Amino acid sequence: MTVMEAISGDPLTCFEDDSVEQAAILMNQSHVLRLAVLDRKTQRLTGVISVSDLGGIHTEPRHYEVTFFKKMSDHYGHSQHAEVMRITIVHGSKDEAIAAAMRQFERAKQVNNWSQLADGYDVTTIHHGEHGVVDEHEFTSEREARIKRRAYELWEQAGAPAGQDKEYWNRAAAEIDHQDQSEK
């Protein structure tokens, strides 16, 4: 892989004559630790400013992991996701991270549109909370969204027991997959 294939998308920049406060706000909003600094007239790079240069301003970087998948059926006929490619994006908003991951996927796989080779993608937001690293997994496929809703219903009906997430997820997945097979 080349550096061009590995970059996270368009770099975030500020100008030499911007205020320190503007740079800090941009870094905080974009969850980045550094900004490229450009000369306003020439648009040429003149340096890099980091959070530590700003004296104590803190921003929490969020990493987004975008997993592209292909839908497959297992030997029971249940729908499964086969990972095609996983891309980690280190800066920007979730929407910007998804767009950057799509561009990287298309460049790496040499296709015009990521959907030529993948059926969908899931997004995991990774950040550092008070108790360590926290993953927030967002399912973007319709199947996972249906399973999530059904698992929650089953969990509520059972009186919201603690520590049984996987059991309710598996029960809901089996129901949804059975329902989908019956409709075929």
Side-chain angles (χ1 to χ4, degrees):
M1 178 182 283
T2 65
V3 171
M4 184 61 185
E5 292 170 327
I7 62 172
S8 299
D10 298 328
L12 289 172
T13 62
C14 64
F15 295 104
E16 289 176 314
D17 57 352
D18 287 342
S19 71
V20 171
E21 291 80 16
Q22 288 172 302
I25 289 168
L26 181 57
M27 281 190 258
N28 196 33
Q29 288 174 339
S30 302
H31 304 289
V32 298
L33 300 175
R34 291 172 194 78
L35 286 175
V37 180
L38 305 178
D39 176 89
R40 193 174 297 274
K41 289 181 184 175
T42 65
Q43 300 290 305
R44 299 191 102 175
L45 181 67
T46 60
V48 175
I49 188 167
S50 72
V51 169
S52 61
D53 296 332
L54 301 179
I57 294 172
H58 175 61
T59 182
E60 176 195 330
R62 289 187 180 259
H63 301 232
Y64 298 95
E65 196 169 79
V66 181
T67 306
F68 294 90
F69 62 83
K70 193 85 175 151
K71 291 181 184 176
M72 304 280 198
S73 292
D74 65 14
H75 58 282
Y76 295 110
H78 297 134
S79 179
Q80 302 291 324
H81 288 176
E83 185 177 310
V84 177
M85 180 181 265
R86 183 180 303 235
I87 298 171
T88 301
I89 305 295
V90 184
H91 67 72
S93 68
K94 182 175 66 171
D95 290 337
E96 291 167 336
I98 292 168
M102 288 175 178
R103 288 191 302 271
Q104 284 187 27
F105 182 93
E106 291 163 359
R107 276 195 308 261
K109 299 292 186 179
Q110 299 178 351
V111 293
N112 292 327
N113 190 311
W114 65 270
S115 63
Q116 291 174 268
L117 298 177
D119 293 323
Y121 59 86
D122 294 327
V123 179
T124 303
T125 304
I126 304 165
H127 63 94
H128 299 275
E130 290 179 22
H131 305 291
V133 176
V134 178
D135 287 0
E136 296 169 5
H137 195 80
E138 178 182 317
F139 298 108
T140 53
S141 72
E142 182 183 338
R143 175 182 176 266
E144 276 79 8
R146 290 170 53 213
I147 292 170
K148 183 177 181 179
R149 282 191 300 272
R150 182 62 183 142
Y152 186 76
E153 289 170 5
L154 292 169
W155 175 76
E156 275 189 325
Q157 290 169 2
Q164 298 179 14
D165 302 356
K166 284 191 180 208
E167 291 172 39
Y168 288 102
W169 182 269
N170 291 336
R171 281 181 49 200
E175 282 184 27
I176 297 297
D177 290 341
H178 178 70
Q179 197 175 53
D180 289 349
Q181 289 296 328
S182 305
E183 292 173 4
K184 286 185 179 182

